[in-house]
């Protein structure tokens, strides 16, 4: 008996769900695509709703995919299913997208740009929908492999301007998944009257009234539970678990009495989630199964249909058959499937079948799994790599190889974000006397602790790894000290970690050549004057090794030097490296630094553009966007309400995650905003908090804010102490930017006019325009208070022009007030075009203004071309223009 309820328009008790799905497909037919996740327990009717959607979507091309419980480790398996029917459109794709999909699907060798695979799939499916709308149905989405889930979620978020609808059916999951971010419709049980109606309509048997009531009570509105028991002769004894378990037992009740060959054939079919009939018959032949007789008996159960594809009547039926098989039969089934799977075409599935067929250690199988893990990682299937490596470890007869493979599995689990699984697996690794393996275990424990927002043991574990390696590999030991600091910076929990690292450094083996660890020790013990020469060497002279190996640390240290030129060099290198390698973490760090650099330079349009692109990548890989560049941008723009909202969001996130470095960013941004708005008490309090813990970069960056707020807030002693610290740092670095900022801070404290002039001389060559404009503002304010009205107007006018043109509204407003006090009205700035656009529209507009095509913009922002064109229409409407050419001349947009 089939479990789906055929109905022309509405399923029993599913009017609301049917209406929602009809609306979704109707909108997609008009080019307004969308996605919906149907979520509910097993048997609740999600698959029936998918079938209903296919029926009501007249004129649509329908493509399908399904997650499989027994292959959810294979990367892109489900995405491949969905795309196979439309692979004929591959030639329409840009070369990079086409090759990326071919590599992801195992059609060519190489490593795809993993976070662009979803965009390439989007391009493929929208190309297929060019002449006919497309409906994508994804069943059993809770079993999607991680790579497919990520790509499909990205695709589903970006079809708003496409004739494409995507419907997922998924069971509830305890752990959060990418699908949780999509629109969702909870599918619950049927009401009592509807349950009776369904049972009566689909059950030809004359049921005893008490049996009927028992079925209704135990089914609790679950349609499959209502439909299956009569066909199976009733439930197993009541009271044994949930409805899905009871339904599964109903399927299993059809198995007793079947000939052994029929049951074995069913077992083989359940072990192969591809539904490839040719593969099944080949495996059956390998097992000497009489396929004609066994196939007829198996089909007669109603559990499975044998056609061009092998289809179980319900995913639970597949699970029921697989779980009912003995271990010996499962091993025989997998062994047969391994024998008939082409090792050249599908080596990973063959390796997985071999692994499931093996009940004892086997180095040959373990080595094959290890190769599959390497292939999976190269294709972006980190979760798959972890599963292969974990099984390889279990099948390794050699203890050393078993540990190495288990450690590889932990690393892969960690890289995939599965910290709980990584932690559990790490706990199974036996103690070893090998210091290298002990150190590796400690390093992994440290990374896990850093990634857990409530575990402060990260530095301790990683420093213990350094200690273990001191005698056997001094260079590795020293590197582990830096591993701790880099990890702390990457996860935003660097506050206090530098102190822990430096406290342990006396136990570190010496380096034959002074290195970055020595520079950090000098910085902590003897200050900037002693440390700057070595800092410059490790940052600039040592073949950029630090940039490559410790990019977050490199960015922090260059900030300590008040060296914006080298900061730009590092950032540009990071952007190029991130784009060339397709590394999402590197590119996100690079774009965050692009945003921060440009915010500090007063180029708010470019900063906004970088923020938008970083958000797009974060969205593509299913992670939260970086918050600190948003803080820098909000502080510089100076819009109180917008900035305070950003600060509150960041503060809540930092509190939740224990991210002290993010809190330090909030304090610095609050100090800048307070000084811009002349709220000096607030600026003073925030600046004092920003310098309190001596965080890399931020403590130094906050010192001039502290001097200004303290002078204006009546705290001269605080201002003098902050000036002394700032002077020590900037004189050591000797950069024009640092010297200029320190000079105007000194002018604030001493009132010496020569210091203001010195500041302007130094800052004239600095790329940090806001600091140059602020020097003019401070000098103009000082001149006005000295009664030199004519002189002050020149500097105030310069400050206002620079600040207002750049869109630094708080400081520009402060300059305007000062000008008004001299009797001169400040010229109102023409509004920037980007003031009227969203962040993403600003990015699209700026890219188009550089001459980028819609396809190039789509690739850059992980959007479809139609979505880019829709953004352009909105941009034209908001800005009152009609062509791409006009964008090039708009303030805030023009490159």
């Amino acid at each position: 008996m089939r479990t789906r309820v055929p109905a022309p328009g509405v399923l029993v008790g599913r009017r609301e769900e049917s209406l929602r799905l009809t609306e979704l497909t109707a909108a997609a037919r008009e080019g307004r695509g969308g996605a919906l996740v149907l979520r509910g327990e097993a048997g609740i009717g999600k698959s029936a709703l998918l079938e209903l959607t296919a029926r009501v979507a007249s004129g649509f091309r329908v493509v399908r995919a399904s997650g499989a419980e027994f292959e959810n480790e294979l990367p892109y398996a489900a995405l491949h299913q969905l795309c196979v029917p439309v692979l004929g459109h591959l030639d329409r794709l840009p070369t990079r997208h086409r090759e990326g999909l071919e590599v992801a699907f195992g059609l060519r060798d190489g490593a795809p740009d993993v976070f662009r695979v979803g965009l390439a799939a989007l391009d493929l499916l929208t190309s297929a929908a060019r002449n006919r709308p497309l409906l994508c149905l994804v069943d059993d989405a809770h079993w999607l492999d991680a790579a497919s889930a990520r790509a499909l979620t990205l695709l589903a978020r970006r079809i708003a301007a496409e004739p494409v609808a995507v419907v997922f059916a998924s069971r509830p999951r305890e752990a959060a998944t990418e699908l949780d971010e999509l629109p969702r419709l909870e599918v619950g049980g049927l009401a009592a009257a509807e349950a009776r109606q369904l049972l009566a309509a689909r059950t030809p048997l004359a049921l005893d009234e008490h049996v009927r009531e028992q079925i209704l009570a135990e089914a609790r509105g679950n349609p499959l539970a209502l439909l299956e028991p009569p066909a199976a002769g009733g439930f197993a004894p009541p009271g044994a678990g949930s409805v899905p378990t009871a339904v599964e037992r109903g399927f299993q009740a059809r198995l007793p009495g079947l000939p052994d060959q029929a049951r074995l054939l069913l077992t083989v079919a359940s072990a192969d989630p591809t539904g490839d009939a040719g593969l099944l018959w080949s495996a059956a032949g390998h097992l000497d199964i009489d396929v004609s007789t066994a196939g007829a008996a198996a089909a007669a159960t109603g559990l499975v249909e044998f056609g061009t594809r092998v289809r179980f009547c319900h995913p639970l039926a597949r699970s029921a058959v697989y779980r009912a098989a003995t271990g010996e039969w499962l091993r025989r089934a997998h062994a047969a499937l391994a024998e008939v799977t082409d090792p050249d075409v599908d080596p990973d599935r063959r390796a997985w079948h071999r692994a499931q067929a093996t009940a004892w250690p086997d180095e040959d199988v373990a080595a094959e799994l290890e190769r599959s893990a390497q292939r999976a990682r190269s294709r972006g299937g980190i979760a798959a790599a972890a599963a292969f490596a974990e099984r390889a470890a279990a099948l390794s007869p050699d203890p050393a190889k078993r540990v190495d493979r288990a450690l590889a599995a932990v690393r892969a689990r960690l890289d995939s974000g599965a910290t709980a699984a990584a932690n559990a697996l790490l706990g199974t690794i036996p103690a070893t006397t090998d210091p290298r393996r002990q150190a590796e275990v400690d390093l992994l424990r440290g990374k896990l602790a850093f990634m857990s927002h409530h575990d402060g043991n990260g530095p301790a574990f990683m420093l213990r790894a350094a200690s273990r390696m001191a005698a056997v590999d001094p260079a590795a030991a020293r590197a582990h000290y830096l591993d701790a600091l880099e990890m702390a910076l990457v996860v935003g929990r660097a506050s206090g970690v530098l102190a822990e690292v430096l406290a342990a450094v006396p136990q570190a083996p010496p380096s034959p050549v002074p290195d970055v660890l020595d520079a950090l020790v000098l910085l902590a013990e003897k200050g900037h004057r002693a440390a700057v020469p070595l800092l410059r060497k490790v940052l600039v002279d040592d073949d950029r090794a630090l940039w490559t190996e410790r990019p977050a640390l490199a960015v922090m240290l260059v900030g300590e030097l008040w060296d914006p030129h080298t900061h730009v060099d590092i950032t540009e290198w990071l952007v190029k490296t991130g784009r060339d390698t397709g590394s999402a973490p590197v590119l996100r760090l690079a774009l965050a630094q692009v945003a921060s650099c440009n915010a500090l330079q007063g180029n708010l349009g470019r900063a906004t553009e970088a923020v938008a692109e970083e958000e797009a990548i974060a969205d593509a890989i299913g992670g939260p966007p970086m918050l600190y560049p948003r803080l820098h941008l909000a502080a510089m723009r100076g819009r109180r309400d917008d900035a305070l909202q950003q600060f509150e969001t960041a503060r809540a996130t930092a509190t939740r995650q224990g991210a002290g470095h993010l809190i330090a960013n909030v304090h610095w941004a609050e100090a800048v905003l307070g000084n811009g708005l002349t709220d000096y008490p607030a600026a003073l309090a925030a600046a004092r908090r920003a310098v309190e813990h001596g965080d890399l970069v931020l403590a130094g960056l906050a010192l001039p804010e502290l001097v200004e707020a303290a002078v204006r807030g009546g705290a001269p002693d605080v201002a003098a102490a902050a000036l002394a610290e700032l002077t020590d740092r900037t004189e050591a670095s000797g950069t024009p930017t640092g010297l200029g900022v320190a000079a105007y801070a000194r002018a604030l404290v001493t009132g010496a006019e020569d210091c203001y002039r010195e500041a302007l001389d130094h800052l004239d060559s600095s790329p940090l325009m806001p600091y140059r404009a602020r020097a003019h503002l401070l000098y103009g304010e000082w001149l006005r208070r000295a009664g030199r009205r004519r002189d002050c107007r020149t500097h105030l006018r310069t400050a206002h022009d620079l600040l207002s043109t750049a869109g630094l509204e708080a400081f520009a407003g402060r300059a305007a007030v000062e000008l008004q006090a001299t009797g001169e009205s400040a010229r109102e700035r023409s509004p920037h075009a980007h003031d009227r656009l969203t962040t993403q529209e600003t990015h699209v507009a700026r890219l188009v203004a550089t001459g980028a095509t819609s396809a190039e913009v789509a690739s850059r922002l992980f959007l479809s071309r139609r979505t880019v064109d829709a953004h352009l229409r909105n941009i034209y409407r908001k800005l009152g223009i009609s062509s791409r050419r006009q964008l090039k001349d708009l303030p805030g947009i023009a490159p």
Side-chain angles (χ1 to χ4, degrees):
M1 179 183 292
R2 291 180 60 81
T3 63
R4 295 171 177 80
V5 186
V10 178
L11 302 178
V12 173
R14 297 300 184 207
R15 185 168 299 277
E16 179 186 349
E17 293 89 342
S18 302
L19 179 61
R20 182 85 174 268
L21 290 165
T22 301
E23 290 173 345
L24 179 73
T25 53
R29 187 178 286 110
E30 297 172 0
R32 294 179 286 109
L36 184 65
V37 178
L38 302 173
R39 195 171 76 168
E41 67 179 20
I44 206 67
K46 304 183 297 298
S47 297
L49 286 167
L50 291 184
E51 296 303 322
L52 173 67
T53 308
R55 289 200 300 275
V56 301
S58 60
F60 277 69
R61 181 175 187 175
V62 180
V63 294
R64 300 173 184 266
S66 179
E69 183 179 8
F70 311 115
E71 70 165 9
N72 60 1
E73 295 88 1
L74 296 177
Y76 299 112
L79 183 66
H80 188 216
Q81 286 182 51
L82 196 71
C83 293
V84 161
V86 296
L87 285 180
H89 295 272
L90 267 178
D91 289 343
R92 297 184 182 179
L93 272 57
T95 301
R96 189 174 184 182
H97 286 179
R98 183 179 67 252
E99 292 179 350
L101 280 181
E102 289 173 345
V103 173
F105 296 161
L107 302 177
R108 69 161 59 213
D109 294 332
D113 185 342
V114 294
F115 60 93
R116 293 183 184 269
V117 169
L119 179 62
L122 171 65
D123 210 357
L124 177 67
L125 294 176
T126 54
S127 293
R130 196 165 294 174
N131 300 317
R132 182 182 176 191
L134 187 71
L135 174 63
C136 305
L137 301 177
V138 184
D139 208 349
D140 290 325
H142 49 282
W143 282 330
L144 288 174
D145 61 276
S148 291
R150 182 178 300 161
L152 289 171
T153 302
L154 169 65
L155 181 152
R157 291 196 197 103
R158 283 165 167 72
I159 53 175
E162 305 294 338
V164 179
V166 185
V167 185
F168 299 88
S170 177
R171 295 186 204 169
R173 295 285 298 269
E174 290 184 9
T177 68
E178 287 87 350
L179 297 182
D180 293 340
E181 301 167 22
L182 300 178
R184 184 172 71 230
L185 180 62
E186 298 290 343
V187 182
L190 300 176
E194 295 160 345
R196 290 179 184 280
Q197 178 186 351
L198 181 61
L199 183 61
R202 292 300 306 272
T203 305
L205 305 177
L207 292 175
D208 176 84
E209 182 179 351
H210 295 292
V211 173
R212 181 186 298 108
E213 293 304 313
Q214 180 69 4
I215 289 172
L216 289 167
E218 291 184 340
R220 296 190 292 278
N222 185 294
L224 184 59
L226 289 165
L227 299 176
E228 285 302 325
F235 280 125
S242 66
V243 168
T245 301
V247 173
E248 203 168 279
R249 289 201 301 271
F251 286 128
Q252 289 174 346
R254 306 184 191 187
L255 299 175
L258 278 178
D260 282 354
Q261 285 208 337
R263 289 196 65 171
L264 184 56
L265 182 65
L266 280 170
T267 301
V268 177
S270 73
D272 170 41
T274 68
D276 185 335
L279 197 68
L280 174 64
W281 303 134
S282 296
H286 187 78
L287 292 168
D288 295 325
I289 295 175
D290 182 340
V291 295
S292 176
T293 304
T301 65
L303 292 171
V304 69
E305 297 174 358
F306 298 115
T308 55
R309 299 201 68 77
V310 180
R311 291 186 65 185
F312 280 84
C313 67
H314 192 277
L316 281 178
R318 179 191 296 277
S319 301
V321 170
Y322 192 86
R323 297 182 202 286
T326 64
E328 179 187 353
W329 276 27
L330 289 175
R331 287 190 290 274
R332 290 179 63 194
H334 283 292
L337 288 166
E339 286 294 328
V340 300
T341 298
D342 190 322
D344 295 322
V345 174
D346 206 348
D348 298 333
R349 189 168 278 110
R350 178 179 182 274
W352 190 248
H353 282 310
R354 287 192 71 195
Q356 299 304 105
T358 305
W360 48 83
D362 185 317
E363 177 56 28
D364 183 52
V365 175
E368 188 174 349
L369 285 168
E370 191 170 32
R371 291 191 291 272
S372 288
Q374 292 164 356
R375 281 192 296 269
R377 181 177 278 278
S378 72
R379 291 165 52 196
I382 304 300
F388 284 128
E390 191 169 342
R391 185 64 176 152
L395 294 178
S396 300
D398 179 78
K401 287 185 177 180
R402 185 161 57 248
V403 170
D404 287 342
R405 287 163 177 165
L407 288 171
V410 174
R411 287 192 293 271
R413 292 286 187 205
L414 201 57
D415 290 344
S416 71
T419 53
N423 194 45
L425 181 57
L426 193 58
T428 67
I429 295 176
T432 174
T433 58
D434 184 331
R436 293 182 184 276
R437 292 190 176 93
Q438 287 179 322
E440 178 70 9
V441 169
D442 284 332
L443 278 177
L444 291 170
R445 290 199 186 283
K447 289 183 178 182
L448 280 164
F450 270 119
M451 294 176 74
S452 173
H453 303 314
H454 305 292
D455 189 339
N457 293 315
F461 280 123
M462 300 184 87
L463 294 176
R464 189 166 70 184
S467 177
R468 292 186 191 281
M469 294 298 291
V472 295
D473 191 339
R478 293 182 69 84
H480 292 338
Y481 287 96
L482 298 176
D483 287 336
L485 190 52
E486 181 75 7
M487 190 70 189
L489 290 167
V490 167
V491 301
R493 299 174 63 192
S495 292
V497 173
L498 179 58
E500 290 188 60
V501 169
L502 294 178
V505 165
Q507 285 76 48
S511 172
V513 177
D515 60 8
V516 66
L517 196 58
D518 292 321
L520 290 169
V521 172
L522 276 176
L523 184 65
E525 293 181 353
K526 298 184 179 180
H528 285 71
R529 295 181 189 276
V532 162
L534 185 51
L535 283 174
R536 285 200 183 283
K537 178 180 180 300
V538 298
L539 275 168
V540 180
D541 299 339
D542 290 351
D543 297 325
R544 299 182 173 181
L546 187 64
W547 302 11
T548 306
E549 298 167 7
R550 310 273 187 270
L553 181 57
V555 166
M556 293 298 105
L557 292 180
V558 79
E560 284 291 300
L561 298 179
W562 281 92
D563 186 353
H565 294 287
T566 303
H567 191 184
V568 169
D569 289 344
I570 294 177
T571 298
E572 290 176 349
W573 177 86
L574 283 171
V575 170
K576 183 179 186 304
T577 301
R579 295 202 193 285
D580 289 348
T581 63
S583 169
V586 172
L587 187 52
R588 289 184 67 194
L589 173 63
L591 290 168
Q593 290 305 309
V594 169
S596 292
C597 274
N598 281 276
L600 292 172
Q601 291 175 9
N603 188 349
L604 303 192
R606 179 68 185 100
T608 301
E609 181 184 347
V611 165
E613 188 171 353
E614 192 280 323
E615 287 177 355
I617 297 173
D619 187 54
I621 65 176
M626 292 186 176
L627 296 182
Y628 69 84
R630 292 164 167 250
L631 297 174
H632 298 180
L633 181 57
M636 287 295 175
R637 179 169 281 140
R639 296 175 183 170
R640 182 193 293 271
D641 291 344
D642 290 348
L644 293 179
Q645 184 176 357
Q646 293 282 358
F647 299 165
E648 188 58 35
T649 298
R651 184 179 284 104
T653 301
T655 301
R656 185 171 63 252
Q657 298 180 353
H661 208 66
L662 182 57
I663 284 287
N665 275 276
V666 172
H667 295 328
W668 171 81
E670 288 175 328
V672 173
L673 181 69
N675 280 331
L677 296 172
T678 67
D679 185 355
Y680 298 116
L684 177 58
R688 295 180 81 160
R689 289 192 293 267
V691 303
E692 184 177 9
H693 297 293
D695 292 275
L696 287 173
V697 180
L698 290 168
L701 203 59
L703 286 170
E705 307 303 332
L706 180 55
V707 172
E708 184 171 350
V711 168
R712 297 293 168 82
D717 292 344
V718 173
L723 174 62
E725 175 66 18
L726 178 63
T727 301
D728 186 64
R729 290 167 176 258
T730 56
E731 286 185 353
S733 66
T735 65
T737 299
L739 294 173
V741 170
Y744 79 59
R746 189 176 307 107
L748 278 168
V749 172
T750 65
E753 184 173 4
D754 287 347
C755 293
Y756 284 118
R757 292 173 177 165
E758 180 188 348
L760 292 174
D761 287 343
H762 284 304
L763 291 169
D764 186 57
S765 60
S766 171
L768 303 191
M769 180 279 295
Y771 289 93
R772 182 167 69 254
R774 288 174 67 179
H776 281 288
L777 173 59
L778 292 169
Y779 190 19
E781 289 174 338
W782 182 87
L783 288 168
R784 187 181 71 79
R785 286 164 178 74
R788 293 161 60 181
R789 180 169 297 190
R790 179 177 299 178
D791 293 338
C792 77
R793 283 176 177 168
T794 300
H795 292 285
L796 292 175
R797 204 178 295 124
T798 300
H800 183 265
D801 287 348
L802 289 170
L803 294 164
S804 61
T805 300
L808 277 69
E809 297 178 12
F811 284 105
R814 181 170 145 188
V817 169
E818 288 289 329
L819 271 174
Q820 289 169 0
T822 71
E824 179 177 317
S825 296
R827 288 178 297 177
E828 290 192 14
R829 123 179 127 84
S830 300
H832 282 155
H834 63 68
D835 291 343
R836 287 167 273 171
L837 304 179
T838 67
T839 301
Q840 193 164 78
E841 287 169 350
T842 298
H843 198 176
V844 170
R846 287 177 63 86
L847 288 174
V848 169
T850 66
T853 65
S854 291
E856 290 167 341
V857 176
S859 178
R860 184 81 166 261
L861 287 183
F862 313 98
L863 302 170
S864 71
R865 280 169 283 187
R866 287 169 61 101
T867 300
V868 171
D869 290 337
H871 277 312
L872 275 174
R873 288 192 293 272
N874 287 334
I875 291 165
Y876 294 164
R877 175 180 54 79
K878 290 181 179 181
L879 301 182
I881 60 175
S882 59
S883 72
R884 293 168 177 254
R885 188 186 68 255
Q886 290 171 284
L887 285 171
K888 297 180 180 180
D889 301 322
L890 293 175
I893 297 297

